[in-house]
Structures are given as structure tokens and as C-alpha cells.
């Protein structure tokens, strides 16, 4: 067939649903203010991926108040306090060509204004990059990178409603803006300061050199009377000026701005006279108030250090200080010294070192003396000021700079303030642990995530773990993520046999009720022929018959009864009521035996063999347990539950009874009702356990929450059902939510988490289900723990809201960490981190050992950092890795002398363990990552190859540091057939690589052998030419290597690798490489995917097909023989497929008989077709095809540079496709557009969205108002409950 017959693939289209598993962790910018209520300090965060979040700072930690998905690129924000208001509102600039103002009153985000002014997208001429607000809340300025600035006047109308006026223009042609800030000048006309540079007109006859163009600080004044903006004042500043902060003015201070640049911080204001040296004999004098800052002692003198962030904090009316951070992470306290007689006159600056912190996108100081650092990469931290006056810290003053200038020969002041002079004036210091701040809280962030691998590598767990590479430099780590809540094991003890059940009995004596705290008195463990009763006190001890229990037979149910210390025990031959040490017993008639039972504080329900159910109730007057009624259910009973007491009531109204005929029935417990059946539900499988419980949902209007009655059923087939029960009629909801939990029948029990009702479900892995009190959604997550057989809630003085459970022959007391289950849209994951030395570049799995017995899987990570010295070089230079100083070093010889505040500690020998423990805790709060010294020349790399053991929590087995300036960039596992198929590790390295221009001195491919599964041994190293080695892959028993623009196949030789064949002429560089059969899929750095085939007969590589669209590929994953998923650096995910018939004989000539000129024509190469297109909104750095549940369906899991983890799930039925497509289109029409961006336009940023449904948008259905939900449900022809269930089921199928 001819290539014209190639069948288009759109007929067999693929449909995907995008589901977010983990929220992006990166913070673009943050601001502090009082948004939801006056006096409450809150943080507003702009997250990567277009999420706006509000966190409350509460008791030294942050709690989520509100989250808003904007589906746009958020760029800047500013807090605005409107005149006469006690709360702040938030102005946000995004890519929607509009300015948005949000009000968070009561914690709910509401759009006050969304004023459109330009085109959508991040353009250099459309405002939206910078935002500045007038401190008195009268105006905001939004600016573009080039030319345009708009000022909006904010006011109130007659009714007191906030209004926003039409924009006033402050444009200036050919002007680039670097920063803007609103000046504080009291109630005078608002003034905005900008750092700008006007580049020369290219059509001018006289060309200016680039260095002659001066950067200026300009003041733009808004005249409120004339409603007009004018450029009021400008002054030239240092060419490297980068950031600004407004100094308090008006009645509170001098006004003006602090400008940070390379090596200098300067105070500028229009009141400072410019230097008019027109007269030749004028005495040399300095008019600038400018100051350098302390530098690190190992930093090269010729390298400048840029100030990246300045923030100013007001302490009292006229008292304030500034914090400035440089690009290495050093934070300085800047004091603006005022004239004692005239508080509006600045006489100098003092810059003192505060501490070394992670590099920040924002620094926010709260009124409570807390500092929030929104880190550029890695976790964000909340610090407490330990002290703010820094008498002994390294300090520089503006007087030193002024004196140095006056003594020099320099004629121009700006020319004098350069890097060389700054290094001579500045004092030096060695970075140490935190001295003046203490870390009190960490907000988790996985940005940047560069790699992902999914697999059950730990060796003893049910479901796979997710391994991700993330971080930069010393903050790098490998994260092991497990779906579910983390469990803390508090105690484990052995039992005499395998138990058949476990119960706890609460202390219901009068004293306990008075205290209001209910602790448990007994733990009761039931065995096949005995009962073990454990008394809970300061220790847990066994008690015998004195407890009053029948201990020679198993216990079916037991509970505290009444409020006078009574208990009830149900065993196969009777019901035993124990009060004050005396026992009364109701015995079964004849030979009948009790099979199942359930009890609460006032009611007992038992089921006899044959389906007879008997109900007992505690008589409030006599205190006796009396038989109320009996009923034959008509089928054998296999589980039952009497429910919990509703608040303020002394009787549960309903009980649930599960029968062997695969039904669960709700029966009435009304004393006159004779156990009447109220409703029933038919099941696919026999019920194994049931639980009825009352869960409380908070109401937004401040009333007491509503109580929902929830029926949870555990089935024999390993799944669970959850349904609502009408609290009045007892009818079961029509659309129960089903979820598959594991391979064992599910047992259900009630527990409490954080004082709210939850459900523990035990199958082949334990699960917890709870109601999120704020959103009303049920959150279900597995526990990262061994399978449990039985469990129930446990409370004591030591353990609050714990769980006591059995696994095999052991008894365990556990506490569940619910941090990941805070009710956000994300799944609960618990995370373990393993620190790395440099930025991780790639990871691969390597199987070691020949026989099955000694087979072991190890994880190899290659790490490298540019502009970094190697480990040994740093040691020789005397760099202190820990920042502890020499005194704290016990064994290490790489410490340095430094004036650390631990001199006194040296003399006192720590003998007491508690003191040592306190010291460890103190050290933890003082830890900070310290970047290594900056190299003097370009092309310096630090790099290592690390071996990790995934079966032992990714412990480092070995770390091989590479030689000077050699960097490992990629790695792969390879088996050479000519060498017996032994698994080897191939590592691609470059030496002395520089980025601008991109060149390197040498490239190598190194082969390593793994010895005993724990050490690496170098086999040999092969030098390659033609460019850097960026990708490696195992290919048909050989090694395929992408070297620059060349694809080369190697065989293993004794001394080095041997070239077999190659294909040259790729467009730019081969960044990704994957192989399948005789095909190689090569991801080019700029020109998308090329498919290459190896022809073994002719020993050559032939291009089969390429992609007509140029995509800068960052990640790729093979889906099948013809289909590949790719992610590009603009944030798009595309799925490409080879057309049918493209590889037939006529399309690709494998004989070599056709004329060369004909086959090399580009238009003759078959083209890949696009199946799906979707804009994620963040750069996808890696993707993998995997199932997140053992035995589940595969989906495409991707990670982004900001730390988001998402999954593209293929639809399996046409019904699902139609339902989701319809739901998405209706929600899209009604969805709010907080930043003026259309959701569909956002998902089609670079190419129209194709065959991918936005799961986030569909999930927004749960957040809509009831009327909107109803409207959409009518259009989709489903009920609201069915839509919610469908959304939940789709998500549950993935995890």
C-alpha cells in the first residue's frame, strides 16, 4: 500500500481525564494582611498552576482558610486597605488582561472587581507583571514589562460599596520597568515609584552604547483633583538596581524608597539633592546614602552579589526596619538612621547580617514577630525572631562607603559603587546555623520536581510507592510518597493467640463524667475460646475474673452501660450485665447460641442462629437491662449494628442488620415498634460488617452543624458501601458510594479522629473514612501501615483519639496523623524524604544478583550542580557544610573558626540526657541550608552518583563523587547480550560544560557494575565526541546513546564501548530516549519526537517518522508500540501516534535501493498525528505510565516543575466520555472567572484542547451553589447525588 493509504488515527481516538493528585507547592508571591477579619494575621499566596490560597497564622503554624482555582497564570499581588476599612482586600494581576480585587470576608473569596484592560496572555506590553498599591488604599498601579502603566482609583459610592474608576494611563515609550512600589506620603497625592530604563530609539542617527543608557528611579504622581497621572521626579540609579521597598512616610517617617542592586543598598528620595558639580573647583562631596553589605569570606571578590528582595516592617508609629535578602540566601537587617532633631531626614544606613535563609520569592513579617519565607525552591518556612537587635553581627554602614568614595580618585559616584570597591569595603562572615531566628513551622513544597517513578519497591507493602526527585542544590531530596495517612506506632505487644475481636470500654463512672473527658477503662480481646481483659491505667495490665467478665468464652460485643460504671458483655451463651462488680446474666433458651451482637450505652441487640434478633434496653429507673422484643428476620443474620446515641438523646432510633441473602435492613428501635423494618438495600455480595454513625457537618451561617446519619457496609468481596440514612424515616439513600478496598472481607468499626466521628475499614490494607467538616465531602484514605485484623477507638490520658488494633498475634496502639487529610481537593499522601548533595538529574532502577534468592533492586540517582565546587574541593577550601563552627564539631575536620554563640557551651559538658535532647531540638529549629562557595570561573560542576536501597527507606548505600568539573546528567540500566546479560549501570557525563555558549571540553559514557547490591565498581569509561551526552537507553542488548545531534549504538568491549552504527543530523539535541522492539523514540530539545528504526540486516538506523509541530520536549513516555505522550516546556501535554501503514515498505526504504535524494526529502517522511492536546499550565518535567493501586488500570502520571502531581486517566466507556464532556461544557459556561480568563482558552493556551477533559473543572461542581448544581444536573439529566458519586468513583478508581 502507498503512504497515501495511511489510515488517520482520529477514528480510534483516545479520551483522557486530567485529575490532580497533589497541589503545586511553589509560591510565586505572598502577602500578609488581615483579610477575613480584623486583627487576624493571614497570608495570601499565589501558587503555581493558578491557585489563590489564604492561610491563617495560628499558634505558630498556618491553616488553610480558603482556596480559589482561577485557571490562569497568576503573576503579582498587592494588599489594599480601602479608606475607613479595618480589613484588607487583595489585588491580583494575571494573564487575563484584567485586574482583579478579591474580598475574603468570613473566609470566602468574593470578586469585588474584575476590570479588563488588554489582551489575554503574558505579553510584554500588556500590564499585569507588576502591581503596587497606595498605602492609604486610594489607588493601585498595574504595569507591563514595557511601556504601559495603568493607575486605578479606588473609592466608595454613597452606599459604602467599594468602586473602581476607569484606568488612568502613565505610559512611556521604549521604557522597560523592573519594579514598582506605592510610596508612603501620608494623605498627600498618591505617588508610585518605578525602576525603569528607556532604551534608545534604533532609528536615531547617533547610536548610544548599551552601557550609556541609565536606569532611573521615577516618581509618578496621581493628582486626585485633576484625575491625572504625571511623571513627577526621576534620578539615575545603579545599573544593577533590581528591587525596592517603600520607607514609611507622612507623619510616621521620612518616606522615600530603599533600592537593592548588585553589592549595594541605597536610600533614595526627592528630598536628597542631586550632585551638581558644574563648577570645576567644587569640593568633592557625596550626595548618595548608599551602603554595601557583609559578604561571605569564601565568595570570589570579582563576583557581584545581587539583592533580590527587600521588605519593610513597621514596629510602632515611627519605628521600622527593613529585611533584605541576596541571591545566596543571606538576610540582612537594614536600619534607616534618622536625624534626632528632624525625623523626616535620613542621615545613614546600617546593614547587619541577620541569618542565612532559603532564597525567597517573598519575605513577610507579621505583627506577632513571625517571618514567613516563601521559598523559590523547596519547603516554605515560618520563623520566629529570637532577637532583633544585633550588636555583635557583621555590620556595614553608609559612612564607610561615603568615606571610601571621598578618598578615591573616582569622579562619578555611580561608577565608584561597583563590585570591586564593595568587596574592599565590606566586612566578611562565615555562614552558620540560625542565630537570631528559630524555625517553628514548615509548609511542605515539592517544587521543583524533576523525576517520578512508581513501583512497589519497598518489598512488603500492598500498593506501589511514588518516588520523586526534587529540590535544588543542598535542599535536594528523593521523596517516597505513599497514598494514605501516616500512622505512628505507640506500642506493640504479643498476644497468646490470634484474636477474633477487640473492644474498648469507656470509663462511665460518675467521676469521669464530671471531668468531661472519657478515657477507656478496659481493652477486651476476644479469642476462640477465651476473653482477655486488660485494665488501662498508667500501664496496661491483665485482670482476671475480678473484672466481672466471663473470661472462659469469646466475647461477641461489650460496652459501657449507663453512667454508673456498668458494663455489658455478650458471649455465645448469654448477655452479662456487670454493675459494681456484680454480674446478672440472661441465658439463651435451649441449645441456641448467640452468633452476632452489638451494644451502645443503653441498648443491646443480639442475633441468634436461624435469624432471630432480640433487642434489650437499659431501664433508666431500675438500672436493669430488660428484653424489649424479638423478631425473626427471615434469613440468617451475618452482621448487625445498634448505632450510636444521637446528641442529647438516650436511644438510637435505628439499627442496621446484614443478612446472608445479600441484603442490609434498617430496623426501628422504637420500644413500641417491635423491630419493624424501615428500609433495605440489596447488595452484590454478602455483607461482612455494618456501622451506623452520626457525623456532623458545620454550617457556613454560624449555626450548629447538621447531623448526618451514615451507613457504612463492608462486603465479603473486599469493597465498602457508604449511604445516607434519613434520620426520621430510616430510608437508605438511593445512590450509595462504593469503593474497592482490598482482597479481604471488609470489617467496619467506629473511631474518632480529632474529636470527630470517623470510620476504620480493615481489608488487606487499613483505610480511614471521615467527613470533612467544612466542605461536607467524605475523605477516604488508606493508612500506610501493615494489614490489621480488628480495630476500635482508644482513648487514655496519654493517647487521645488513638486506635487499638490487632495484627496476627500482636496488639498495637496507633495514632493517625491526619495532616494530609485536611479536606483539600488533593489526595492524602504521607512523605518520607532522603536528603541529597546536589540537584538530582535522573534516576533508574537496577536489578542485582543472578539467582532469585539474592536478587535485589537498587535505585540509582545521578546528581549535579552548575557553579558549584565538588565535595572534596569544598573541604580543602575550609567550607563548613553544617554551619556549626569548629566548637560544635566532634569528629569532622572541615569546620572553621567563627564567632558562634556556642562558646559557653564548650566549657559545659552535657551530661544530662534531657539537656542533650533539648540541644537536638534547638539544633533542629536552627537548621538552615547553606549554599557552597561560588566558583571564580564558569564551567565548574559538583556531581555524584548515588546508590539507594528502596527496601530500607531509601538509605544511601554508596555515593561516588565525580572528578573535578565532571557532571553526570543521565543514567540507564543496560544488559549487554554479548556479556551474558549482566545488569550494568551506564552514566553519561560532561566535563567543563558551560551554558552560554553551550559547550564542553569532554563527554564520557561510564559503565559501573553493582557489587553485592551495595557498591559500585567502575568497569570502564569511554570518551565520546559530537556533544554532551544527555540520554541513554538499553536497546536490543546494546546501549543507545544520544550525543548532541547524533544517535549512536554501542556494544561493550573490554576496555571501552565499541561503536556499531549511528544516525547524524538531528535538529538540535537528543534530550529523551526510549526504546521498544526495534524502534527508538528520540525526544529532541526543540523539534519534538523522531521515531528511528534499527535495521539489523544493513546495520543502520533509519528515520521512520517525525512530528510536524516543533515542540521543545521536556518529558516523554511510551504508551504503546505506536503511541507516545510528550510534555513540552510551555506546559502542554500531547499524545502522538504513528499513522497506520506509515512503516510499510513503500514509506520507509530499508533496502537502500531507492535514490538517496528521494528518500531524504523531508516531506516524504511520515508525520505523527496528534491524538490529544492539553495545557497543564506548568512545565511537565517527567511522566510515567503506571497503576497507583495493585492490579488497577494504568494511567499517565506526570509531575511539574512546581511540584504538582497529576494523572491523565483514559476513559473506558462511551457513557463516561459523554457524561464528562457534557458536564465540563455546562460547568465551563457557568464557572466563575475570577481573573477574567476563560477556562477553555486557558487549557488551549498554545494549541486547542483536544480529547482531554479538565477534571479540576468538573470537580468544581461540588463547590457550586445548590441552584447552580440543580441547573447543571437537569441539563446532564442526572441527579446531584449521582453526579457527585460519579466524580468520586472516577477518582477512587485511580487510587
Amino acid at each position: 500500500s502507498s503512504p497515501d493509504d495511511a489510515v488517520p488515527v482520529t477514528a480510534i481516538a483516545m479520551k483522557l481525564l486530567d485529575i490532580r493528585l497533589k497541589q503545586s507547592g511553589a509560591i510565586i508571591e505572598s502577602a500578609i494582611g488581615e483579610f477575613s477579619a480584623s486583627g487576624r494575621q493571614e497570608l495570601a499566596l499565589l501558587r503555581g498552576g493558578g491557585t489563590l490560597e489564604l492561610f491563617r497564622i495560628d499558634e505558630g503554624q498556618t491553616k488553610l482558610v480558603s482556596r480559589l482555582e482561577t485557571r490562569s497564570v497568576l503573576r503579582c499581588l498587592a494588599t489594599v486597605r480601602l479608606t475607613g476599612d479595618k480589613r484588607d482586600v487583595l489585588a491580583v494581576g494575571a494573564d487575563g488582561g484584567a485586574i482583579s480585587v478579591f474580598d475574603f470576608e468570613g473566609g470566602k473569596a468574593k470578586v469585588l472587581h474584575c476590570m479588563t484592560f488588554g489582551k489575554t496572555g503574558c505579553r510584554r506590553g500588556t500590564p499585569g507583571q507588576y502591581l503596587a498599591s497606595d498605602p492609604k488604599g486610594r489607588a493601585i498601579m498595574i504595569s507591563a514589562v514595557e511601556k504601559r502603566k495603568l493607575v486605578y482609583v479606588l473609592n466608595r459610592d454613597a452606599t459604602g460599596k467599594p468602586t473602581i474608576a476607569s484606568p488612568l494611563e502613565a505610559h512611556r515609550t521604549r521604557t522597560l520597568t523592573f519594579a514598582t512600589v506605592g510610596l508612603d506620603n501620608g494623605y498627600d497625592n498618591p505617588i508610585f515609584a518605578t525602576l525603569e530604563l528607556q532604551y534608545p530609539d534604533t532609528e536615531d542617527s547617533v547610536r548610544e552604547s548599551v552601557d550609556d543608557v541609565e536606569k532611573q528611579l521615577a516618581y509618578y504622581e496621581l493628582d486626585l483633583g485633576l484625575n491625572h497621572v504625571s511623571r513627577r521626579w526621576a534620578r539615575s540609579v545603579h545599573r544593577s538596581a533590581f528591587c525596592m521597598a517603600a520607607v514609611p512616610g507622612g507623619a510616621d517617617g521620612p518616606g522615600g524608597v530603599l533600592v537593592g542592586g548588585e553589592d549595594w543598598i541605597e536610600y533614595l528620595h526627592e528630598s536628597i539633592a542631586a550632585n551638581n558639580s558644574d563648577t570645576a573647583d567644587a569640593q568633592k562631596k557625596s550626595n548618595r546614602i548608599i551602603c554595601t553589605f557583609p559578604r561571605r569570606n569564601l565568595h570570589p571578590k570579582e563576583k557581584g552579589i545581587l539583592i533580590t528582595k527587600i521588605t519593610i516592617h513597621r514596629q510602632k508609629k515611627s519605628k521600622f526596619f527593613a529585611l533584605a535578602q541576596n541571591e545566596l540566601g543571606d538576610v540582612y537587617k537594614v536600619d534607616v538612621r534618622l536625624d534626632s532633631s528632624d525625623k523626616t531626614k535620613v542621615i545613614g544606613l546600617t546593614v547587619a547580617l541577620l541569618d542565612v535563609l532559603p532564597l525567597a520569592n517573598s519575605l513577610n513579617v507579621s505583627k506577632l514577630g513571625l517571618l514567613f519565607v516563601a521559598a523559590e525552591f523547596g519547603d516554605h518556612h515560618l520563623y520566629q525572631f529570637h532577637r532583633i537587635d544585633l550588636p555583635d553581627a557583621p555590620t556595614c554602614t553608609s559612612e564607610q562607603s561615603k568615606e571610601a568614595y571621598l578618598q578615591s580618585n573616582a569622579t562619578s559616584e555611580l561608577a565608584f559603587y561597583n563590585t570591586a570597591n564593595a568587596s574592599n569595603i565590606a566586612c566578611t562572615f562565615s555562614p552558620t546555623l540560625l542565630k537570631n531566628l528559630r524555625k517553628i513551622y514548615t509548609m511542605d513544597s515539592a517544587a521543583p520536581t524533576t523525576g517520578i517513578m512508581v513501583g512497589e519497591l519497598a518489598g512488603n507493602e500492598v500498593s506501589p510507592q511514588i518516588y520523586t526527585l526534587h529540590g535544588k542544590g543542598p535542599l535536594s531530596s528523593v521523596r517516597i510518597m505513599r497514598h494514605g495517612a501516616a500512622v505512628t506506632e505507640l506500642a506493640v505487644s504479643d498476644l497468646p493467640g490470634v484474636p477474633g475481636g477487640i473492644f474498648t470500654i469507656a470509663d462511665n463512672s460518675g467521676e469521669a463524667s464530671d471531668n468531661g473527658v472519657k478515657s477507656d477503662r478496659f481493652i477486651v480481646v476476644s479469642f476462640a475460646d477465651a476473653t482477655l481483659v486488660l485494665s488501662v491505667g498508667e500501664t496496661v495490665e491483665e485482670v482476671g475474673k475480678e473484672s466481672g467478665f466471663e473470661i472462659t468464652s469469646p466475647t461477641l460485643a461489650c460496652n459501657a452501660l449507663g453512667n454508673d460504671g456498668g458494663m455489658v458483655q455478650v458471649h455465645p451463651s448469654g448477655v452479662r450485665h456487670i454493675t459494681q462488680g456484680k454480674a446478672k446474666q440472661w441465658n439463651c433458651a435451649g441449645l441456641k447460641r448467640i452468633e452476632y451482637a452489638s451494644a451502645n450505652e443503653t441498648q443491646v441487640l443480639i442475633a441468634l442462629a436461624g435469624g432471630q434478633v432480640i433487642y434489650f434496653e437499659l431501664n433508666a429507673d431500675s438500672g436493669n437491662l430488660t428484653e424489649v422484643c424479638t423478631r425473626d428476620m427471615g434469613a440468617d443474620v451475618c452482621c448487625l449494628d445498634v448505632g450510636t446515641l444521637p446528641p442529647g438523646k438516650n436511644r438510637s432510633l435505628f439499627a442496621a442488620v446484614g443478612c446472608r441473602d445479600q441484603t442490609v435492613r434498617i430496623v426501628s428501635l422504637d420500644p413500641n415498634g417491635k423491630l419493624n423494618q424501615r428500609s433495605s438495600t440489596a447488595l452484590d455480595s454478602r455483607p461482612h460488617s455494618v456501622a451506623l454513625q452520626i457525623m456532623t457537618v458545620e454550617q457556613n451561617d454560624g449555626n450548629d452543624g447538621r447531623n448526618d446519619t451514615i451507613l457504612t457496609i463492608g462486603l465479603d468481596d473486599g469493597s465498602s458501601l457508604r449511604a445516607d440514612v434519613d434520620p426520621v424515616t430510616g430510608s437508605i439513600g438511593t445512590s450509595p458510594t462504593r469503593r474497592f478496598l482490598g482482597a479481604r472481607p471488609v470489617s467496619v468499626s467506629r473511631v474518632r479522629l480529632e474529636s470527630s466521628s470517623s470510620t476504620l475499614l480493615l481489608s488487606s490494607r487499613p483505610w480511614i473514612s471521615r467527613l470533612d467538616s467544612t466542605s461536607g465531602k467524605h475523605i477516604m484514605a488508606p493508612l500506610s501501615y501493615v494489614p490489621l485484623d480488628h480495630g476500635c477507638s482508644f482513648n487514655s490520658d496519654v493517647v487521645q483519639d488513638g486506635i487499638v488494633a490487632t495484627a496476627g498475634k500482636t496488639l498495637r496502639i496507633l495514632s493517625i496523623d491526619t495532616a494530609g487529610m485536611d479536606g483539600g481537593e488533593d489526595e492524602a499522601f504521607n512523605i518520607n524524604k532522603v536528603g541529597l548533595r546536589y540537584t538530582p538529574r535522573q534516576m533508574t532502577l537496577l536489578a542485582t544478583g543472578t539467582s532469585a534468592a539474592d536478587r535485589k533492586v537498587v535505585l540509582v540517582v545521578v546528581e549535579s550542580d552548575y557553579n558549584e565546587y565538588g565535595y572534596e574541593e569544598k573541604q580543602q577550601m575550609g567550607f563548613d557544610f553544617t554551619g556549626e563552627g569548629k566548637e560544635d564539631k566532634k569528629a569532622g575536620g572541615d569546620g572553621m573558626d567563627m564567632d558562634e554563640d556556642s562558646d559557653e557551651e564548650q566549657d559545659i559538658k552535657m551530661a544530662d540526657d534531657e539537656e542533650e535532647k533539648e540541644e537536638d531540638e534547638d539544633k533542629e529549629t536552627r537548621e538552615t541550608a547553606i549554599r557552597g562557595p561560588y566558583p571564580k570561573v564558569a564551567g565548574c560542576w559538583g556531581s555524584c552518583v548515588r546508590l539507594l536501597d528502596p527496601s530500607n527507606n531509601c538509605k544511601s548505600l554508596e555515593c561516588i563523587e565525580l572528578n573535578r568539573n565532571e557532571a553526570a546528567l543521565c543514567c540507564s540500566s543496560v544488559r549487554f547480550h554479548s556479556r551474558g546479560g549482566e545488569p550494568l549501570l551506564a552514566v553519561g557525563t560532561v566535563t567543563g560544560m558551560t551554558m552560554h555558549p553551550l559547550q564542553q571540553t569532554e563527554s564520557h559514557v561510564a559503565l559501573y557494575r553493582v557489587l553485592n547490591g551495595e557498591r559500585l565498581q567502575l568497569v570502564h569509561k569511554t570518551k565520546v565526541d559530537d556533544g554532551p551526552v544527555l540520554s541513554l537507553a538499553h536497546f536490543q542488548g546494546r546501549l543507545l546513546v544520544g550525543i548532541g545531534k547524533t544517535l549512536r549504538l554501542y556494544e561493550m568491549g573490554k576496555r571501552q564501548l565499541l561503536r556499531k552504527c549511528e544516525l547524524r543530523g538531528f535538529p538540535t539535541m537528543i534530550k529523551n530516549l526510549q526504546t521498544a522492539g526495534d524502534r527508538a523514540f528520540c525526544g529532541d530539545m526543540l523539534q519534538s519526537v523522531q521515531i528511528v528504526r534499527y535495521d539489523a540486516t544493513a546495520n543502520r538506523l533509519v528515520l521512520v517518522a517525525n512530528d510536524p509541530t516543533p515542540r521543545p520536549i521536556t518529558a516523554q513516555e511510551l504508551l504503546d508500540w505506536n503511541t507516545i505522550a510528550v510534555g513540552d516546556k510551555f506546559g502542554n501535554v500531547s499524545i502522538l501516534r504513528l499513522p497506520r501503514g506509515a512503516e510499510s515498505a513503500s514509506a520507509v526504504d530499508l533496502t537502500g535501493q531507492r535514490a538517496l535524494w528521494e528518500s531524504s526529502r523531508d516531506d516524504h517522511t511520515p508525520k505523527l498525528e496528534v491524538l490529544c492536546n492539553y495545557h497543564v499550565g506548568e512545565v511537565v518535567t517527567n511522566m510515567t505510565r503506571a497503576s497507583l493501586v495493585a492490579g488497577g488500570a494504568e494511567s499517565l502520571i506526570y509531575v511539574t516543575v512546581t511540584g504538582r502531581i497529576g494523572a491523565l486517566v483514559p476513559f473506558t466507556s462511551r457513557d463516561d466520555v459523554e457524561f464528562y464532556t457534557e458536564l465540563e461544557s455546562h460547568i465551563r459556561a457557568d464557572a466563575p472567572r475570577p481573573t477574567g480568563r476563560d477556562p477553555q482558552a486557558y487549557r488551549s493556551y498554545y494549541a486547542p484542547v483536544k480529547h482531554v477533559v479538565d477534571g479540576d473543572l468538573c470537580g468544581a461542581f461540588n463547590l457550586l451553589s445548590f441552584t447552580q448544581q440543580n441547573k447543571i444536573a437537569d441539563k446532564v439529566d442526572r441527579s446531584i447525588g449521582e453526579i457527585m458519586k460519579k466524580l468520586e468513583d472516577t477518582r477512587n478508581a485511580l487510587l
Side-chain angles (χ1 to χ4, degrees), residues 70-341:
T70 64
R71 287 175 196 81
S72 59
V73 179
L74 299 176
R75 298 160 76 190
C76 54
L77 85 169
T79 53
V80 184
R81 181 162 295 193
L82 300 168
T83 35
D85 231 345
K86 290 194 175 162
R87 287 184 308 106
D88 297 308
V89 295
L90 193 69
V92 174
D95 68 337
I99 184 168
S100 304
V101 182
F102 296 95
D103 187 3
F104 286 95
E105 188 169 9
K108 288 274 179 275
K110 178 181 151 206
V111 182
L112 286 182
H113 311 293
C114 181
M115 297 284 286
T116 307
F117 50 69
K119 293 178 179 174
T120 57
C122 298
R123 305 162 189 268
R124 68 179 192 176
T126 305
Q129 185 63 30
Y130 307 106
L131 199 54
S133 70
D134 170 53
K136 293 285 184 268
R138 298 166 295 174
I140 35 183
M141 175 191 259
I142 187 163
S143 322
V145 174
E146 189 176 349
K147 184 181 175 183
R148 292 190 177 85
K149 299 179 194 69
L150 297 174
V151 176
Y152 285 89
V153 179
L154 301 172
N155 223 318
R156 291 183 183 281
D157 61 13
T159 60
K161 204 172 147 206
T163 59
I164 188 165
S166 301
L168 305 170
E169 295 182 355
H171 304 337
R172 189 164 182 251
T173 53
R174 305 194 319 279
T175 300
L176 300 177
T177 307
F178 295 86
T180 65
V181 71
L183 225 61
D184 187 354
N185 60 343
Y187 287 102
D188 293 352
N189 278 337
I191 293 178
F192 296 96
T194 66
L195 274 179
E196 54 189 44
L197 176 150
Q198 188 166 32
Y199 54 87
D201 190 346
T202 48
E203 292 167 7
D204 282 359
S205 49
V206 182
R207 289 285 173 93
E208 289 184 62
S209 87
V210 176
D211 297 331
D212 293 344
V213 181
E214 61 176 30
K215 193 179 276 189
Q216 290 187 324
L217 170 73
Y219 280 5
Y220 287 86
E221 182 181 12
L222 163 66
D223 191 320
L224 290 169
L226 298 172
N227 215 19
H228 171 72
V229 183
S230 57
R231 195 166 190 261
R232 165 171 168 160
W233 172 82
R235 171 106 192 255
S236 59
V237 291
H238 199 277
R239 219 7 233 283
S240 66
F242 178 74
C243 57
M244 293 191 295
V247 174
D252 301 339
V257 288
L258 282 174
V259 178
E262 201 169 55
D263 301 306
W264 302 92
I265 296 173
E266 184 173 11
Y267 170 77
L268 286 162
H269 196 32
E270 56 187 348
S271 60
I272 302 172
N275 195 358
N276 302 320
S277 51
D278 296 340
T279 49
D281 59 347
Q283 190 187 353
K284 182 176 178 181
K285 64 178 184 197
S286 166
N287 282 68
R288 289 187 177 266
I289 300 173
I290 190 166
C291 183
T292 186
F293 45 83
R295 296 166 71 96
R296 296 191 182 186
N297 50 13
L298 292 175
H299 193 80
K301 290 203 162 187
E302 60 277 11
K303 286 255 184 217
I305 306 175
L306 183 71
I307 292 287
T308 56
K309 205 83 212 158
I310 301 183
T311 186
I312 287 187
H313 176 61
R314 296 185 189 216
Q315 288 165 294
K316 288 179 189 155
K317 194 124 183 132
S318 58
K319 207 173 171 205
F320 60 91
F321 66 86
L323 294 179
Q325 187 178 37
N326 67 22
E327 58 185 319
L328 304 178
D330 309 328
V331 176
Y332 305 99
K333 182 192 173 199
V334 183
D335 280 316
V336 179
R337 297 199 306 282
L338 306 178
D339 193 328
S340 52
S341 57

Side-chain angles (χ1 to χ4, degrees), residues 1026 1041-1048 1061-1070 1082 1084-1085 1087-1092 1101-1103 1105-1106 1160 1162 1165:
D1026 289 340
V1041 185
I1043 310 164
K1045 297 183 178 185
T1046 307
L1047 184 66
R1048 199 173 285 164
C1061 69
E1062 65 178 26
L1063 181 64
R1064 290 176 175 268
F1066 278 82
T1068 52
M1069 276 190 187
I1070 301 170
C1082 313
D1084 189 86
M1085 216 171 236
Q1087 293 290 332
S1088 194
V1089 176
Q1090 327 269 322
I1091 300 180
V1092 172
L1101 294 162
V1102 185
L1103 185 66
N1106 58 18
S1160 63
D1162 188 50
T1165 311

Side-chain angles (χ1 to χ4, degrees), residues 910-922:
M910 293 290 184
D912 200 347
D913 287 350
E914 282 189 21
E915 283 189 39
E916 281 190 15
K917 193 175 171 191
E918 278 177 29
E919 191 188 32
D920 286 349
E921 281 177 13
D922 182 50

Side-chain angles (χ1 to χ4, degrees), residues 567-589:
M567 297 178 286
V568 64
Q569 176 197 15
V570 183
H571 51 90
S573 51
V575 178
R576 195 175 178 88
H577 181 198
I578 305 155
T579 46
Q580 282 121 24
K582 295 178 188 156
K584 301 173 192 165
Q585 185 152 316
W586 176 94
N587 290 318
C588 293

Side-chain angles (χ1 to χ4, degrees), residues 896-924:
M896 296 180 51
D897 292 321
M898 48 182 73
D899 44 338
E900 163 89 52
D901 57 356
S902 54
D903 293 341
E904 308 91 311
E905 289 170 22
Q906 207 177 4
D907 313 328
I908 306 162
K909 296 290 174 218
M910 293 290 184
D912 200 347
D913 287 350
E914 282 189 21
E915 283 189 39
E916 281 190 15
K917 193 175 171 191
E918 278 177 29
E919 191 188 32
D920 286 349
E921 281 177 13
D922 182 50
K923 190 179 163 192
E924 208 173 286

Side-chain angles (χ1 to χ4, degrees), residues 68 90 195 202 230 249 313 325 331 344 379 385 421 456 485 523 527 543 549 617 645 897 915 956 1053 1073 1087 1118 1181:
L68 181 68
L90 193 69
L195 274 179
T202 48
S230 57
H313 176 61
Q325 187 178 37
V331 176
T344 60
D379 294 343
F385 282 98
N421 290 328
E456 206 299 277
I523 297 173
F527 297 93
V543 289
F549 272 74
E617 197 169 291
L645 302 184
D897 292 321
E915 283 189 39
S956 276
L1073 205 49
Q1087 293 290 332
L1118 210 54
T1181 51

Side-chain angles (χ1 to χ4, degrees), residues 462-463 483-485 487 741-744 746-747 759-769 780-791 803 805-807 812 814 816:
V462 182
S463 58
H483 176 225
V487 174
L741 303 185
R744 292 193 337 211
V746 178
S747 81
T759 317
L760 180 69
L761 303 110
L762 304 176
S763 179
S764 51
R765 64 187 298 196
W767 289 71
I768 198 93
S769 166
M780 210 166 175
L783 303 183
S784 296
Y785 199 62
V786 297
L788 300 172
D789 303 329
H790 308 280
I803 286 174
T806 65
R812 297 160 189 254
L814 315 170
I816 297 178

